[in-house]
Amino acid sequence: MSYVSPAIRSQFESLSIDLKNAILSRDVHLENLHDLIAVLEHIVSEGERAAQPT
């Protein structure tokens, strides 16, 4: 089950609902902004890989 620390809850809540759902579906533990950024970077890199022609 994913966890978002109260310390970064406002930053997390500012994201779109689709992005929040994508993050929460990854079963992550977000304690600080660095953790949130790392997950977002991972999502971006997956999207870039998916967009590349095979």
Side-chain angles (χ1 to χ4, degrees):
M1 176 152 88
S2 291
Y3 169 79
V4 179
S5 168
I8 62 165
R9 175 71 59 180
S10 64
Q11 288 90 348
F12 179 79
E13 291 298 333
S14 72
L15 301 171
S16 73
I17 189 71
D18 290 334
L19 194 49
K20 288 189 281 191
N21 287 337
I23 293 168
L24 294 175
S25 72
R26 294 169 181 271
D27 194 27
V28 293
H29 191 90
L30 305 174
E31 286 288 340
N32 53 48
L33 200 51
H34 177 73
D35 295 341
L36 179 57
I37 291 169
V39 172
L40 292 171
E41 288 175 341
H42 192 353
I43 290 170
V44 168
S45 72
E46 286 178 352
E48 289 173 345
R49 281 194 303 266
Q52 290 178 355
T54 54

